[in-house]
Amino acid sequence: MTFNKYICFLVLAVIIATGCKKANIDVDTTGTETGTDGIKGDVYGIWAKGSVKRVVGDITVPEGKSLTIEEGVTVIMDTLAKPEFIVKGNLYAVGTPEFPVKITIEEGYRTAAKRFGKQWGGILAAPTCQELLLDNAIIEYGGSTTTEASASVKEGLYKAVAGENLPALWFINSKGKLVVTNCIFRNFQEDCTYIEGGSILFSNNKFYTTGLTGGEGINIKSGCIADVAFNLFYSTNTNALKLSNSGDRTPQAHVVAYNNTFMTTGWRRPTIKGGSVWLEASVYAEIYNNIFANTRFGIKHDTKKLEDARSAISNNLYYGYDQTTVNQFQPGADIIGGKNEIRGTKAGENDPKFVNYPLSTDMSSPDFDQSWDFRLQAGSPAIGAGINTFTRNWAGGIVINGTVYNSPAPSANIGAFGVK
C-alpha cells in the first residue's frame, strides 16, 4: 500500500468512526439485556425491539433527550424499589398489536393479591416534556404510594407530597403533545391517567381492573385540548372520565368524548362522585355516541361548579340489567340528559346486544375476561344511531416524532367496537 493510499485509508476510518459515534451518541447503554445489575438513573436513546430491561431504581429521561422503546420490549419494574419513570425529555413507546411494549413486574408477582398494583410508581412527565407517545403498550401493576423519599416528591412532580397514590400516567405541559393509542391500562391502585395540559389524544385503549378505593380512567384538568374516542372503560372504581377545568391553566379544558363503551363503572365507589362521566368547573365537554351499560349513573355534574354552557351531549345509549341501575341514570338535578338519546325506563330495555358479554355480570366485580367481545350483533339499537356532524379537536392530527396521529372519524354506530 502506497503512503498516499495509507493516509486516505486512515482518514476514511476516522470519518466512519466519528459518524458511528455521532449516530449512537443518544443510545443508552446502562444495564444489560439479561438484567444482571439493572437500570436506574438517566435513560435515553433506543431500547431495541424484543429486549428486556430490568429497572431497579428511579429512571429519568433527561430534558432535551429522548427515549424510544421499540416493539416487543418488556420493562420489568423492581417491586422492592418501586421505581418511578420520570420523563423530562421525550418518550416514544411504540409497539405493535403482536409485539406490544410492556411496562410491568416479574411474572411470578402478577397475582390476584396484587390486582390493584402498587408495585411501582408511574410514568410522570415533567413540565419540560414536549412529546409523549404510547402506541400499542401495556402499562400494569403500578400506582405505588409516594413517600418523602420519592423522586416525584423531591422534584415537585405530580402532587409533590407524600401519601399520594401515583397514576399510571401524568402529563402537565399545556404546550406539549400526548398521544395514547391502542394501549391497555390495568392493575393500578387509583387513577390510570391524570392530565393537566397539552394537545391530547386517547383512542382505541382499554382501561380495566383499576382503582382500589378511588380512581378514574382518564382524569382531565385545565390546559387540555383533548379527543377521547373508541376506548373501553370497564369497572373503573370511580368514573371512567372525570372532565374538569380546575387548575386555572390556559387554555380552558375542551374535551370531545365520542364512540366510547363504558361498562359497570362507578359501583365500587359508592359516593356522590362515583359514576361514569363527571363534569365540573367550567369544562367545555362534548359527549357523543357512547354506550353506558350497567354503569352507575350516566353523565353527572357538580351542581355547584357547573360545566361550560357550550357543552353538548347527544346520541348516547343507556342500558341497565336491573331496575336500580335504570332508575339512577334518569336525568335529574345532577344527572344530565342529552339530545337523541336511547334511554329507557325499565330494566333490560335497549339491550346493546354485545357479541359476548353476560349482561348479568356482577357490576361490583373488577375482574375482566379477555374473551368478552363488545362488538354489536345484528339488531342492536346502537347500530346506525350515532352522529358524525360534530367537530373533533384533532381531526387534522397531532404530530409526534414526525408521525401524524389523527382523531379517528366518528362511527355511525354507538360505542367503541362497531358491528361483528
Side-chain angles (χ1 to χ4, degrees):
M1 179 182 292
T2 66
F3 179 78
N4 287 339
K5 287 183 178 179
Y6 180 73
I7 293 299
C8 290
F9 174 80
L10 287 178
V11 171
L12 180 62
V14 169
I15 291 172
I16 292 172
T18 302
C20 290
K21 182 178 180 182
K22 183 177 181 181
N24 291 282
I25 195 168
D26 281 348
V27 176
D28 173 64
T29 57
T30 59
T32 64
E33 298 300 311
T34 55
T36 54
D37 297 319
I39 299 171
K40 60 183 177 179
D42 288 352
V43 294
Y44 53 92
I46 298 171
W47 286 356
K49 64 180 180 180
S51 61
V52 175
K53 299 293 182 180
R54 299 180 184 277
V55 177
V56 297
D58 297 325
I59 55 176
T60 299
V61 180
E63 184 176 355
K65 297 287 188 180
S66 296
L67 174 65
T68 298
I69 306 177
E70 296 185 330
E71 63 185 83
V73 171
T74 299
V75 182
I76 298 177
M77 295 294 199
D78 185 273
T79 57
L80 293 178
K82 299 187 187 307
E84 296 177 358
F85 193 154
I86 295 171
V87 184
K88 296 181 178 179
N90 300 322
L91 173 64
Y92 310 109
V94 186
T96 65
E98 297 78 16
F99 302 103
V101 170
K102 195 169 188 178
I103 303 179
T104 185
I105 59 176
E106 286 282 6
E107 184 175 2
Y109 290 92
R110 302 173 210 158
T111 63
K114 294 181 173 63
R115 69 164 69 165
F116 295 114
K118 300 185 286 185
Q119 302 306 300
W120 61 281
I123 301 171
L124 307 175
T128 54
C129 175
Q130 298 297 317
E131 297 185 344
L132 199 155
L133 170 65
L134 300 177
D135 186 353
N136 280 289
I138 298 172
I139 316 296
E140 61 183 9
Y141 290 99
S144 61
T145 304
T146 58
T147 68
E148 294 293 343
S150 297
S152 58
V153 174
K154 291 179 178 179
E155 297 194 32
L157 303 176
Y158 188 47
K159 298 185 180 180
V161 294
E164 290 290 336
N165 300 327
L166 291 173
L169 172 64
W170 174 66
F171 191 88
I172 194 171
N173 186 354
S174 61
K175 295 183 179 179
K177 294 180 284 188
L178 170 67
V179 172
V180 180
T181 185
N182 306 307
C183 293
I184 294 173
F185 291 82
R186 62 191 178 198
N187 307 109
F188 271 79
Q189 181 177 187
E190 200 161 295
D191 285 349
C192 291
T193 67
Y194 196 98
I195 314 301
E196 298 187 83
S199 301
I200 311 295
L201 173 59
F202 282 94
S203 63
N204 302 104
N205 303 296
K206 295 180 179 179
F207 303 80
Y208 58 85
T209 315
T210 60
L212 178 59
T213 58
E216 331 283 346
I218 297 176
N219 192 339
I220 285 180
K221 306 299 185 186
S222 62
C224 294
I225 304 297
D227 285 344
V228 178
F230 293 91
N231 302 285
L232 170 69
F233 300 86
Y234 187 86
S235 191
T236 48
N237 177 280
T238 313
N239 297 288
L241 303 180
K242 182 177 181 180
L243 309 180
S244 175
N245 190 51
S246 64
D248 298 321
R249 287 170 290 269
T250 300
Q252 176 188 14
H254 179 201
V255 184
V256 183
Y258 62 97
N259 283 106
N260 299 288
T261 296
F262 303 106
M263 301 292 307
T264 68
T265 55
W267 291 105
R268 295 184 292 111
R269 180 74 181 275
T271 66
I272 189 171
K273 288 190 177 183
S276 305
V277 177
W278 175 268
L279 307 180
E280 68 176 18
S282 72
V283 65
Y284 178 15
E286 300 181 67
I287 304 173
Y288 312 105
N289 301 351
N290 302 288
I291 289 178
F292 296 84
N294 285 341
T295 60
R296 183 167 182 255
F297 307 125
I299 301 169
K300 195 171 186 181
H301 62 179
D302 187 335
T303 56
K304 296 180 180 179
K305 296 186 291 183
L306 290 173
E307 68 280 3
D308 189 290
R310 294 172 294 171
S311 297
I313 299 168
S314 74
N315 294 75
N316 299 293
L317 181 149
Y318 298 82
Y319 168 85
Y321 179 76
D322 58 35
Q323 195 60 44
T324 298
T325 301
V326 173
N327 291 344
Q328 51 81 56
F329 61 56
Q330 300 303 315
D334 54 357
I335 306 298
I336 309 173
K339 298 179 180 178
N340 303 317
E341 306 244 275
I342 302 173
R343 187 194 314 250
T345 58
K346 296 180 181 178
E349 287 184 320
N350 308 315
D351 182 346
K353 296 187 181 297
F354 296 125
V355 168
N356 177 28
Y357 176 76
L359 290 166
S360 60
T361 300
D362 181 3
M363 287 177 254
S364 64
S365 172
D367 298 327
F368 187 83
D369 189 330
Q370 298 293 338
S371 71
W372 288 336
D373 187 340
F374 295 101
R375 290 178 296 169
L376 309 173
Q377 299 183 64
S380 169
I383 296 174
I387 188 174
N388 63 3
T389 56
F390 57 90
T391 301
R392 293 164 278 154
N393 284 311
W394 304 114
I398 298 174
V399 180
I400 288 195
N401 200 26
T403 299
V404 180
Y405 291 86
N406 302 92
S407 297
S411 173
N413 305 310
I414 296 177
F417 297 101
V419 182
K420 180 178 178 180

